[in-house]
């Protein structure tokens, strides 16, 4: 993806036989242009656009195919994205640059006022972007172009003083000065508990020609998950979604609960009807100290239901949905088979779903662990202990030597204290064996759901299980005709259910549900 910020001045060059280049068919010019390759030390494709007007069209079809711009560039770029160039664009990556803070504030946590200003900037930047694209609404009115995929991506959101956005040399120098005790700086800890919110969004226009929407994995700042849903609702013909979001707030469980349940409520209240593909990474990092119990994020008034799992279950039932992939997510059996389904007169149906892939975290929404210590091993045999930092020595990014009356007095950040609060210190890793009481209901829900997916080709359930000895927990279903990449020479003519669970075995009720739902399935356990 490249930035395009130039104007071409075409000249009417002639071919070797003296005829103008414009005499060649446009399709042939486009074909020739597609073979042009430029290296990083060359001026790029721009000089070729000066050959003739038709060469300009062929070159711009490439250079404008994928563009990237920031909220600070919209006014400059908008006059260039006119006419035929709009029909060349298939993807726009959008970066939102937040207000800059000065050097002294690098040692201070973000204030409420700064957070509100960031929300204001973010909301205005989104509005400006959608308003720019609204002026392109004639894109879908060109039937001769056929169906067009058009993707928008929120690829970054940051302040110029955030971490490496200062510039690599400046960032490394600031880090070194901190190590020497000559600088106070919180770096990413300054905003690690800050959330960017989309404020008034009712006036943001709909974009009917956008078919794909991504929130990228490289965002420096954390976006409120419900904002993603609000923006998706502005894209009535959306076919593909890929979101990298997170609920990774472990110091303040109430904030995590608000983020998670707000996301669930937004998904439930704003169904996305025409999705073909849905991919979500919704990260929560399990505590590194596995004796630690995370706070529950379920509603205490109804602790048996996880509303996010229920909301994602409802989304998975979308009539057009063919693929759903969930990564690093905290789930309950409600994702596959909500409790309410057991009393429903008609079971749920997934009419067109062919891929359902889930990588789940080791903890459940209630805070319980899906895994326990392997009962065949003594307690001291399988613990992995990491205490590389002396717990009696507090470590701080910022000094507290300034006067308390100083409004710019550096804030403290104690690494060990914060790691203990989050359950990351000391490191205790011993949970490698499935917890029957929790894992079997999850597997049973998965099996019941699979029975109502007539077009299912691949289903996967994998855990983020971490074990120094290489233990894993993975369950794969492959329909007849699908190739298992780990067993290329396997019997492809049969449905296969492959378990990578070492010596552990699920309840017979789980296996029977699979055999009943997918008759003739070949069940195989792989041990290491």
């Amino acid at each position: 993806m490249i930035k395009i910020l130039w104007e071409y001045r075409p000249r009417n060059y002639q071919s070797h036989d003296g005829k103008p280049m414009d005499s060649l068919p446009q399709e042939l010019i486009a074909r020739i242009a597609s073979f042009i390759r430029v290296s990083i030390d060359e001026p790029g494709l721009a000089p070729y656009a000066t050959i003739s007007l038709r060469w300009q069209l062929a070159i711009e079809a490439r250079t404008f195919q994928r563009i990237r711009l920031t909220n600070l560039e919209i006014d400059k770029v908008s006059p260039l994205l006119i006419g035929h160039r709009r029909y060349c664009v298939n993807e726009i990556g959008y970066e939102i640059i937040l207000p800059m803070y000065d050097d002294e504030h690098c040692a201070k946590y973000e204030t409420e006022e700064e957070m509100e200003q960031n929300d204001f900037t973010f909301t205005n930047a989104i509005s400006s972007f959608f308003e720019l694209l609204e002026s392109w609404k004639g894109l879908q009115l060109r039937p001769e172009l056929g169906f067009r995929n058009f993707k928008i991506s929120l690829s970054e959101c940051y302040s110029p003083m955030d971490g490496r956005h200062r510039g690599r040399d400046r960032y490394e120098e600031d880090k070194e000065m901190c190590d020497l005790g000559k600088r106070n700086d919180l770096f990413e800890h300054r905003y690690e508990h800050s959330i960017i919110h989309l404020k008034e969004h009712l006036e943001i226009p709909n974009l009917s020609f956008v078919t794909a929407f991504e929130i990228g994995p490289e965002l420096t700042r954390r976006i409120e998950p419900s904002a993603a849903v609000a923006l998706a609702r502005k894209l009535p013909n959306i076919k593909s979604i890929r979101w990298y979001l997170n609920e990774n707030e472990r110091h303040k469980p109430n904030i995590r609960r608000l983020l998670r349940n707000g996301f669930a409520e937004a998904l439930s209240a704003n169904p996305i009807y025409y999705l073909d593909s849905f991919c979500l990474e919704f990260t929560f990092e399990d505590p590194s100290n596995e004796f630690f119990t995370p706070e529950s994020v379920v509603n205490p008034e109804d602790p048996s239901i996880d509303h996010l799992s229920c909301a994602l279950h409802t989304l998975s039932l979308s009539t057009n949905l063919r693929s759903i992939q969930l990564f690093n997510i905290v789930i309950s059996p409600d994702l596959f088979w909500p409790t309410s389904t057991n009393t429903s007169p008609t079971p749920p149906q997934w009419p067109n779903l062919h891929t359902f892939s889930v990588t789940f975290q080791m903890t459940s929404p209630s805070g319980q662990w899906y895994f326990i210590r392997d009962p065949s091993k003594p307690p001291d045999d399988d613990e992995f202990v990491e205490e590389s930092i002396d717990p009696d020595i507090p470590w701080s990014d910022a000094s507290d030597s300034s006067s308390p009356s100083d409004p710019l007095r550096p804030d403290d950040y104690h690494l060990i204290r914060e790691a203990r609060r989050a359950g990351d210190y000391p490191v205790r890793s011993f949970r490698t064996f499935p917890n029957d009481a929790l894992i079997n209901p999850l597997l049973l829900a998965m099996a019941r759901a699979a029975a109502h997916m007539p077009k299912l080709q691949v289903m996967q359930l994998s855990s983020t299980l971490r074990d120094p000895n290489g233990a894993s927990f993975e369950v794969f279903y492959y329909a007849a005709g699908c190739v298992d990449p780990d067993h290329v020479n396997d019997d492809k003519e049969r449905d296969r259910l492959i378990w990578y669970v070492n010596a552990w075995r699920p309840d017979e009720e789980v296996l029977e549900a699979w055999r009943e739902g997918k008759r003739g399935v070949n069940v195989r356990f792989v041990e290491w």
Side-chain angles (χ1 to χ4, degrees), residues 395-432:
W395 182 90
S396 174
D397 284 300
S399 168
D400 58 0
S401 59
S402 301
S403 168
S405 62
D406 183 357
L408 291 181
R409 174 180 178 266
D411 289 327
D412 295 330
Y413 183 86
H414 294 274
L415 179 63
I416 298 301
R417 180 188 64 199
E418 297 300 320
R420 284 189 185 279
R421 287 178 58 197
D424 284 335
Y425 187 86
V427 174
R428 297 286 191 268
S429 182
F430 60 89
R431 296 181 182 272
T432 61

Side-chain angles (χ1 to χ4, degrees), residues 106-137:
C106 291
K108 301 288 290 182
Y109 291 109
E110 276 194 336
T111 64
E112 290 292 334
E113 182 179 354
E114 288 176 309
M115 294 179 194
E116 290 179 5
Q117 182 59 43
N118 288 338
D119 292 345
F120 178 79
T121 300
F122 178 80
T123 302
N124 281 348
I126 291 292
S127 296
S128 297
F129 182 50
F130 274 60
E131 287 167 5
L132 168 67
L133 294 181
E134 185 191 25
S135 67
W136 298 15
K137 56 187 176 184

Side-chain angles (χ1 to χ4, degrees), residues 240-257:
S240 173
I241 281 177
R242 181 178 293 269
W243 290 338
Y244 295 86
L245 305 170
N246 76 76
E247 57 169 331
N248 201 34
E249 177 53 71
R250 293 184 295 163
H251 293 80
K252 301 178 180 180
N254 59 316
I255 293 180
R256 181 193 171 201
R257 195 174 295 113

Side-chain angles (χ1 to χ4, degrees), residues 42-251:
E42 293 179 351
L45 295 170
Y48 297 95
T50 67
I51 294 175
S52 71
L53 177 59
R54 298 177 75 176
W55 266 88
Q56 178 187 349
L57 296 176
I59 293 299
E60 289 185 349
R62 289 183 59 183
T63 56
F64 283 90
Q65 186 174 18
R66 302 173 66 213
I67 63 176
R68 167 172 264 164
L69 70 154
T70 74
N71 54 314
L72 303 183
E73 297 171 331
I74 280 187
D75 291 340
K76 184 187 296 185
V77 173
S78 182
L80 300 179
L81 297 174
I82 58 175
H84 70 278
R85 290 176 179 170
R86 294 180 179 179
Y87 297 96
C88 300
V89 180
N90 289 328
E91 179 179 346
I92 299 181
Y94 191 48
E95 295 185 4
I96 297 179
I97 302 177
L98 303 173
M100 189 169 181
Y101 47 92
D102 57 34
D103 199 58
E104 289 78 9
H105 282 87
C106 291
K108 301 288 290 182
Y109 291 109
E110 276 194 336
T111 64
E112 290 292 334
E113 182 179 354
E114 288 176 309
M115 294 179 194
E116 290 179 5
Q117 182 59 43
N118 288 338
D119 292 345
F120 178 79
T121 300
F122 178 80
T123 302
N124 281 348
I126 291 292
S127 296
S128 297
F129 182 50
F130 274 60
E131 287 167 5
L132 168 67
L133 294 181
E134 185 191 25
S135 67
W136 298 15
K137 56 187 176 184
L139 284 181
Q140 72 269 33
L141 302 179
R142 290 283 296 274
E144 69 273 16
L145 295 176
F147 178 78
R148 298 181 73 244
N149 288 317
F150 193 101
K151 176 181 176 181
I152 60 173
S153 173
L154 178 57
S155 54
E156 236 314 7
C157 181
Y158 66 94
S159 169
M161 285 297 285
D162 289 350
R164 297 187 181 276
H165 291 287
R166 305 176 190 183
R168 186 177 64 178
D169 292 343
R170 166 74 186 276
Y171 178 76
E172 296 298 335
E173 179 183 352
D174 288 348
K175 278 286 191 182
E176 182 178 359
M177 295 301 286
C178 281
D179 292 340
L180 295 173
K182 298 181 179 180
R183 176 180 174 81
N184 299 314
D185 202 321
L186 292 171
F187 296 103
E188 70 277 4
H189 302 304
R190 181 179 194 270
Y191 48 84
E192 67 180 348
H193 301 302
S194 300
I195 311 294
I196 304 293
H197 302 86
L198 182 67
K199 294 300 186 180
E200 298 297 329
H201 53 78
L202 296 179
E203 301 302 319
I204 296 177
N206 289 351
L207 303 176
S208 59
F209 59 88
V210 174
T211 60
F213 176 33
E214 176 177 294
I215 296 180
E218 304 299 329
L219 266 65
T220 301
R221 296 302 187 103
R222 183 163 35 167
I223 307 298
E224 183 181 29
S226 60
V229 183
L231 294 178
R233 289 293 293 159
K234 300 294 182 179
L235 311 173
N237 293 315
I238 189 75
K239 300 292 190 298
S240 173
I241 281 177
R242 181 178 293 269
W243 290 338
Y244 295 86
L245 305 170
N246 76 76
E247 57 169 331
N248 201 34
E249 177 53 71
R250 293 184 295 163
H251 293 80

Side-chain angles (χ1 to χ4, degrees), residues 238-486:
I238 189 75
K239 300 292 190 298
S240 173
I241 281 177
R242 181 178 293 269
W243 290 338
Y244 295 86
L245 305 170
N246 76 76
E247 57 169 331
N248 201 34
E249 177 53 71
R250 293 184 295 163
H251 293 80
K252 301 178 180 180
N254 59 316
I255 293 180
R256 181 193 171 201
R257 195 174 295 113
L258 287 173
L259 291 175
R260 183 180 178 90
N261 293 333
F263 188 34
E265 183 178 345
L267 284 171
S268 300
N270 300 282
I272 307 169
Y273 294 105
Y274 301 111
L275 276 182
D276 175 83
S277 172
F278 182 77
C279 179
L280 170 68
E281 180 171 310
F282 198 62
T283 301
F284 175 77
E285 296 177 4
D286 292 321
S288 298
N289 180 356
E290 294 179 359
F291 285 108
F292 189 86
T293 301
E295 291 278 351
S296 171
V297 290
V298 298
N299 188 337
E301 297 179 1
D302 197 0
S304 63
I305 296 176
D306 173 43
H307 291 286
L308 180 57
S309 292
C310 287
L312 291 170
H313 167 82
T314 301
L315 185 148
S316 74
L317 298 173
S318 299
T319 303
N320 296 321
L321 194 67
R322 301 177 69 246
S323 173
I324 180 169
Q325 297 175 290
L326 307 174
F327 298 100
N328 302 328
I329 189 169
V330 175
I331 60 167
S332 78
D334 293 325
L335 172 65
F336 299 111
W337 200 262
T339 305
S340 59
T341 303
N342 296 326
T343 58
S344 175
T346 57
Q349 300 291 329
W350 292 260
N352 291 300
L353 194 68
H354 68 71
T355 300
F356 201 146
S357 178
V358 181
T359 302
F360 69 102
Q361 296 289 60
M362 295 174 64
T363 53
S364 68
S366 65
Q368 297 173 285
W369 290 83
Y370 276 112
F371 297 87
I372 60 175
R373 174 185 281 110
D374 188 337
S376 67
K377 297 182 179 180
D380 295 333
D381 182 55
D382 55 359
E383 287 190 11
F384 174 72
V385 182
E386 175 68 42
E387 295 191 75
S388 58
I389 305 175
D390 188 340
D392 296 326
I393 302 177
W395 182 90
S396 174
D397 284 300
S399 168
D400 58 0
S401 59
S402 301
S403 168
S405 62
D406 183 357
L408 291 181
R409 174 180 178 266
D411 289 327
D412 295 330
Y413 183 86
H414 294 274
L415 179 63
I416 298 301
R417 180 188 64 199
E418 297 300 320
R420 284 189 185 279
R421 287 178 58 197
D424 284 335
Y425 187 86
V427 174
R428 297 286 191 268
S429 182
F430 60 89
R431 296 181 182 272
T432 61
F433 198 82
N435 181 349
D436 287 352
L438 291 182
I439 207 77
N440 275 308
L442 181 64
L443 294 169
L444 181 59
M446 176 189 180
R448 287 172 172 169
H452 298 275
M453 300 176 183
K455 296 184 180 180
L456 184 65
Q457 297 294 302
V458 177
M459 196 172 194
Q460 173 187 352
L461 183 66
S462 304
S463 172
T464 57
L465 183 68
R466 52 198 178 214
D467 178 17
N469 297 319
S472 65
F473 184 92
E474 298 177 297
V475 183
F476 295 90
Y477 166 81
Y478 297 99
C482 291
V483 175
D484 172 7
D486 294 321

